[in-house]
Amino acid sequence: MFHGQLRKLRGRGRVAQVYLWARWTLYVTPWLMFIGWLAAPLTAAAAEVHRVPPLVMAVAVLGLVQCGVYVPGVRRGLSHYVYGTPAPWRLIAVSGVLSAVSVGLLTAVAVTLPLRAAVYATAMLFPTLPAGSLLSLVVKKRWQALVCVAVSVVSVAALALAGVPLKYAGGLPPTFAFSAAFAALTCRSWAWILAAMRELDEAKGDQARLAVTEERLRFARDMHDVVGRNLAVIALKSELAERLARKGRPEAADQMAEVQQLAQDSQREVRDVVRAYREADLEVELAGARAVLQAAGVECLIDQEDSAGVPQQTQSVLAWVVREGTTNVLRHANAATCWLTLRVTGDGPHGAGRTAPAVPSGPAVVFTMENDGVVQDAVRRDGGSGIAGLRERLAALGGTLTVGPRPDGRFWLRAQVPLEKDEPQRYGPEAAVDGRAAAGTRK
């Protein structure tokens, strides 16, 4: 059961993992404080008189009820602080009433047993903890401090009017202050951390959208620079050709020939712009993958052979594989380490083990991307549209793509593209440099 819960936790995103961890930490805290601050002192005091008074039992039961009310309250309080949902005012009010009753019962226990002042002060640390913790999630710090002062004044005044000895009433203000400070340091600190992580996660999404927008603007500028000038010249020459044709001048045919040539040049330039836009650079994508993964907290290890002799078309397709694989690691995995390997094989079959078919005879470029963050629920049988697009690009060059979990617990994406058989010396392993000495090697 524990291992199942652990796998479920690993299957969540990093922000969700921290949020779940913080929530359960806050769930457990009051129960531990109940044992250490309330139950233990009262049990020791009851042992001294060799009996358990009914008031002690009532205080213990009331403490358990306070812990039970605190759990849903802190869940809703965290949601309010981090995501702006409605505050749990009703649960805070109930917890406040329970705290007031618990303070009164504890005072009655202290007077009737009687309790030592130190034991009474220790036991008084707990009653205001649940209510103070919930209050710290929905009000500002200054208001929480004012509430603490008001509760201390009212409690001391009420106990003094009831004739409670000063040794008990006088210790309440510092006790309540410590309990409120502890509540703020636990609940509010965790809430602040979670809110900061949510803002950072949203900023990452905004950054990705801005990058896409900037790329679209760049493409639009390139298209304007290429098409706008040529269209203006075509319009002028067409107008001139029309005037010449109306006058029966033979130069009109020359002008139309130039218009035709301009149109052909524009078409070629547009194709060049689109081709440059769609093609990706392998070296740039590998460097970008390392930067993006490390920024996301994933250690990226690259073992790369020299790809200078690999055809540009093959490098472009593999660059798309790197880009799609990096995106999948960030979106669908919970990886701590990612391994990127680029190899140029020589003649002869190159087996890939039990999890992938062997590479056919002849030189081939093999790129492998592995990570240790397999999330079973995120593994789709069809691989998604991105994987389907990669398979189409690789198929156009006679290549193949293997995607899926491995028996050793890793998830891998493996692409191999065959090279021309008459060029084994150019692309074989002997032409490669040592992976650890190259610029793109393991760090």
Side-chain angles (χ1 to χ4, degrees):
M1 180 178 178
F2 173 76
H3 293 291
Q5 293 295 328
L6 185 60
R7 286 195 298 269
K8 184 178 179 181
L9 179 61
R10 290 175 178 174
R12 296 171 177 260
R14 291 176 181 260
V15 176
Q17 285 182 358
V18 176
Y19 187 85
L20 188 63
W21 181 267
R23 209 169 65 183
W24 277 99
T25 300
L26 295 179
Y27 287 168
V28 173
T29 299
W31 299 92
L32 296 178
M33 299 303 101
F34 169 79
I35 297 174
W37 290 356
L38 187 65
L42 292 181
T43 301
E48 292 180 358
V49 297
H50 303 289
R51 62 189 178 89
V52 181
L55 284 177
V56 173
M57 294 296 298
V59 170
V61 172
L62 192 60
L64 295 175
V65 174
Q66 284 184 274
C67 292
V69 173
Y70 167 84
V71 171
V74 77
R75 184 177 67 248
R76 298 182 186 179
L78 282 177
S79 181
H80 167 75
Y81 191 98
V82 178
Y83 298 103
T85 58
W89 290 113
R90 293 183 179 178
L91 292 175
I92 293 176
V94 172
S95 184
V97 172
L98 293 175
S99 296
V101 176
S102 183
V103 169
L105 289 178
L106 266 176
T107 304
V109 170
V111 174
T112 56
L113 275 181
L115 292 179
R116 294 191 301 272
V119 176
Y120 174 73
T122 302
M124 271 297 180
L125 289 172
F126 175 79
T128 58
L129 176 66
S133 299
L134 299 183
L135 193 65
S136 68
L137 296 176
V138 298
V139 300
K140 295 182 179 180
K141 290 180 287 187
R142 68 171 71 95
W143 289 106
Q144 186 181 9
L146 290 176
V147 170
C148 179
V149 172
V151 169
S152 299
V153 172
V154 171
S155 299
V156 171
L159 295 182
L161 292 176
V164 176
L166 183 61
K167 65 177 182 178
Y168 295 131
L172 288 184
T175 301
F176 288 166
F178 179 83
S179 181
F182 184 85
L185 289 175
T186 52
C187 272
R188 195 175 184 89
S189 297
W190 268 116
W192 183 85
I193 293 172
L194 294 176
M197 290 191 63
R198 178 187 62 83
E199 293 176 0
L200 289 176
D201 191 56
E202 293 178 351
K204 288 173 59 178
D206 294 338
Q207 185 179 10
R209 287 189 290 271
L210 286 175
V212 173
T213 302
E214 290 178 358
E215 183 64 15
R216 288 175 177 173
L217 290 175
R218 184 198 68 79
F219 182 70
R221 288 193 300 268
D222 292 345
M223 290 295 294
H224 177 269
D225 294 340
V226 170
V227 178
R229 175 182 57 83
N230 290 345
L231 287 178
V233 177
I234 289 174
L236 291 175
K237 286 189 172 293
S238 298
E239 183 180 356
L240 178 59
E242 180 187 5
R243 292 178 181 178
L244 293 175
R246 290 181 183 277
K247 296 179 181 180
R249 301 283 295 276
E251 292 87 349
D254 297 335
Q255 295 295 328
M256 291 306 300
E258 293 183 12
V259 169
Q260 182 181 10
Q261 183 63 40
L262 283 170
Q264 293 174 352
D265 293 342
S266 298
Q267 187 179 21
R268 184 180 65 256
E269 291 177 357
V270 169
R271 288 175 179 171
D272 291 340
V273 171
V274 174
R275 187 179 301 112
Y277 175 74
R278 295 184 63 185
E279 288 183 355
D281 185 85
L282 180 56
E283 297 295 334
V284 173
E285 291 299 330
L286 287 173
R290 169 182 286 170
V292 170
L293 290 173
Q294 289 181 346
V298 181
E299 183 181 8
C300 182
L301 304 177
I302 301 180
D303 190 359
Q304 174 190 359
E305 292 185 351
D306 187 13
S307 58
V310 178
Q312 182 59 40
Q313 190 175 12
T314 301
Q315 292 194 38
S316 177
V317 172
L318 292 179
W320 281 102
V321 175
V322 175
R323 181 180 297 182
E324 178 66 22
T326 304
T327 302
N328 288 340
V329 171
L330 294 176
R331 293 181 58 187
H332 303 303
N334 183 29
T337 307
C338 185
W339 297 267
L340 281 71
T341 306
L342 181 65
R343 287 286 182 266
V344 184
T345 66
D347 288 328
H350 179 70
R354 295 180 299 171
T355 58
V359 176
S361 301
V365 182
V366 180
F367 172 76
T368 304
M369 188 170 189
E370 304 177 45
N371 71 83
D372 57 359
V374 180
V375 179
Q376 295 296 336
D377 295 339
V379 178
R380 297 177 52 182
R381 294 183 178 180
D382 57 358
S385 58
I387 298 298
L390 291 182
R391 285 198 170 97
E392 292 177 359
R393 291 175 183 270
L394 291 167
L397 301 180
T400 59
L401 182 70
T402 304
V403 182
R406 292 178 44 166
D408 59 2
R410 296 181 183 177
F411 188 92
W412 78 344
L413 182 149
R414 183 178 183 277
Q416 67 97 17
V417 182
L419 300 173
E420 296 294 334
K421 292 186 177 182
D422 57 349
E423 297 178 328
Q425 297 299 321
R426 181 180 178 185
Y427 303 120
E430 59 272 62
V433 297
D434 183 71
R436 295 184 181 272
T441 57
R442 300 177 187 264
K443 299 200 319 180

